[in-house]
Amino acid sequence: YVMVWDTFGERLAREGARLFDALPVLSEPLGRIFAGEQPAPSAFFFVNLFVHIALPLGLGVGLWLHVSRVARPTLLPPRRLLWAIVAALLVGSVVLPAALGGAADPFSLAPSTPSDLLIAWWLPISERLPARTVWMAGVVLGLAAVLVPRFTRRRREASWAPSQVDPRLCTGCDQCTQDCPWEAITMVEREDGRATLLARVDVSRCVSCGICAGSCAPMGVGPPGRTGRDQLIPLRDGGGGAPGSVPVPAVAICCERAPSGHLTAFAGLGARIHRVPCVGNLHSSAVELVLRQGAPGVVVCGCPPRDCVGREGPKWLEQRLFAGREAELQARVDRRRIALLTLAPGNRTEATAALEAHLRRFAALEPTERLPAELEAALCDAVLVEEAT
């Protein structure tokens, strides 16, 4: 707006000069530029042009630093949403174009100026306040915005400990390094004489998302208490019971961040709710165990794919269950008894209807034989010991 140098641009420039003159930085007040004794110098517009270019470049560097700690950063919205936003902005710019005032003239005071409350909403407020008050308000609001993540994040208790690797179980498959959203796992040489590499967790980069727990076929990596083996314990304890007991209900494995209203509605449909920190943590053996206990089906309910706290949890889950990505669901498991569902605030009616449809589909399948709740934890140990020897 200042580069256009209409009456609104001059108004913005005068207010900016008033605010900067309150800081003990420049030897001469910027307000003298608009005294009217001479036209605004070209150096003033050159500085504005420089800032106009430097600020976006600085934002680009900041964005690069922001995403440098994550793998596969996503910078753009989904394509349909992206083009919808572009179209909306294009239509808006045609229907409601930015108003252009008369040419700026320091010798005359314009009776009125056009305004843009989208960009310069602060201008009518700051013009009525002392410059120091405006600066103090800006600093306070800026700090509050910067500190929002610190005030709103969950406390890092014991469950937030970084992932650990069991060298005895690690086979050097490299899957956890590929799946980690934060590039916190690397493969290093082993010290026990085995030919394979060993996964190593960088605790300074690990955020305890637990994605690696779901990617490790032998269940040898993950945050303490959240490895694949740890996931099987509550499922065994809350299993289907002995053969001949009451029918086992379908199980809804839900992210612990799922809206409580959804879970209440699901329980009302007769599903047994089992909560996990993130569906991306879920080991495929846990799904198999639930089905082996006699459940007619399993519905895994996670966050929207691009709104997961583990970033890529729903993406890797789907590939492990249906696309053969390690740690893949074994071929012996009937995929007809497994479904994925997205839970988000505002879609309770849709999600409940989808779950009800899945339950009807499960009920139409032939009954499953209820087996003892003994999955491959002990068997996995035996296999790994045999491979090591």
Side-chain angles (χ1 to χ4, degrees):
Y1 275 113
V2 174
M3 294 296 295
V4 173
W5 205 233
D6 65 345
T7 53
F8 185 59
E10 182 187 17
R11 180 182 172 189
L12 279 171
R14 289 181 179 275
E15 179 61 14
R18 184 180 75 91
L19 296 178
F20 276 102
D21 286 344
L23 302 177
V25 177
L26 302 176
S27 58
E28 294 187 6
L30 286 176
R32 292 184 179 179
I33 296 176
F34 316 109
E37 58 185 13
Q38 60 182 2
S42 59
F44 169 73
F45 296 100
F46 175 79
V47 171
N48 277 276
L49 177 62
F50 175 79
V51 173
H52 194 74
I53 298 174
L55 279 178
L57 292 178
L59 290 174
V61 173
L63 181 62
W64 174 77
L65 291 174
H66 182 68
V67 302
S68 62
R69 287 177 59 95
V70 301
R72 301 171 295 277
T74 301
L75 303 180
L76 298 177
R79 182 166 298 181
R80 292 175 60 184
L81 179 60
L82 172 64
W83 287 113
I85 293 174
V86 171
L89 291 175
L90 180 61
V91 172
S93 64
V94 174
V95 176
L96 298 173
L100 182 65
D105 183 2
F107 293 102
S108 63
L109 181 63
S112 63
T113 60
S115 61
D116 188 339
L117 297 183
L118 178 64
I119 302 299
W121 56 269
W122 51 272
L123 184 59
I125 301 175
S126 67
E127 288 178 329
R128 291 167 171 78
L129 297 174
R132 292 185 178 182
T133 303
V134 176
W135 279 112
M136 291 179 61
V139 170
V140 170
L141 291 176
L143 286 176
V146 169
L147 295 176
V148 163
R150 178 170 295 275
F151 291 144
T152 57
R153 72 181 182 184
R154 301 174 61 197
R155 294 186 59 185
R156 296 199 172 194
E157 301 172 349
S159 61
W160 285 81
S163 292
Q164 298 176 355
V165 179
D166 187 339
R168 183 176 62 92
L169 300 179
C170 180
T171 61
C173 69
D174 193 38
Q175 190 63 50
C176 57
T177 63
Q178 298 179 39
D179 289 359
C180 178
W182 315 99
E183 296 183 340
I185 306 179
T186 54
M187 304 302 295
V188 298
E189 297 289 338
R190 301 184 70 106
E191 299 179 356
D192 54 8
R194 291 170 60 181
T196 62
L197 296 175
L198 176 67
R200 182 178 65 184
V201 178
D202 183 350
V203 296
S204 67
R205 299 181 71 94
C206 179
V207 300
S208 192
C209 68
I211 296 294
C212 55
S215 68
C216 184
M219 312 180 193
V221 64
R226 291 161 55 196
T227 65
R229 293 168 182 255
D230 297 317
Q231 296 174 30
L232 302 182
I233 296 175
L235 291 173
R236 288 195 186 101
D237 295 341
S245 62
V246 296
V248 180
V251 177
I253 302 179
C254 302
C255 173
E256 66 180 13
R257 293 166 181 80
S260 58
H262 290 61
L263 303 186
T264 301
F266 288 3
L269 294 176
R272 178 163 69 93
I273 306 298
H274 177 72
R275 305 187 72 174
V276 293
C278 173
V279 297
N281 308 166
L282 185 65
H283 200 280
S284 58
S285 295
V287 176
E288 182 177 355
L289 174 59
V290 171
L291 295 175
R292 289 188 57 179
Q293 290 175 331
V298 177
V299 180
V300 184
C301 309
C303 300
R306 295 170 64 97
D307 197 26
C308 172
V309 70
R311 292 189 56 230
E312 297 172 327
K315 173 183 176 181
W316 296 151
L317 171 72
E318 181 179 12
Q319 294 190 17
R320 291 167 190 158
L321 295 182
F322 298 107
R325 187 182 186 89
E326 289 219 14
E328 75 277 9
L329 187 64
Q330 297 301 309
R332 59 179 174 264
V333 180
D334 187 357
R335 265 59 174 185
R336 297 177 301 167
R337 300 186 180 277
I338 303 171
L340 300 180
L341 195 59
T342 297
L343 304 186
N347 78 334
R348 183 170 64 180
T349 301
E350 176 186 353
T352 304
L355 176 66
E356 193 171 10
H358 289 314
L359 296 180
R360 289 196 301 267
R361 181 168 57 85
F362 296 154
L365 299 175
E366 63 276 8
T368 57
E369 181 183 357
R370 186 182 305 178
L371 300 176
E374 300 172 357
L375 202 57
E376 283 77 10
L379 179 60
C380 185
D381 282 336
V383 172
L384 289 172
V385 170
E386 181 180 352
E387 290 179 351
T389 56

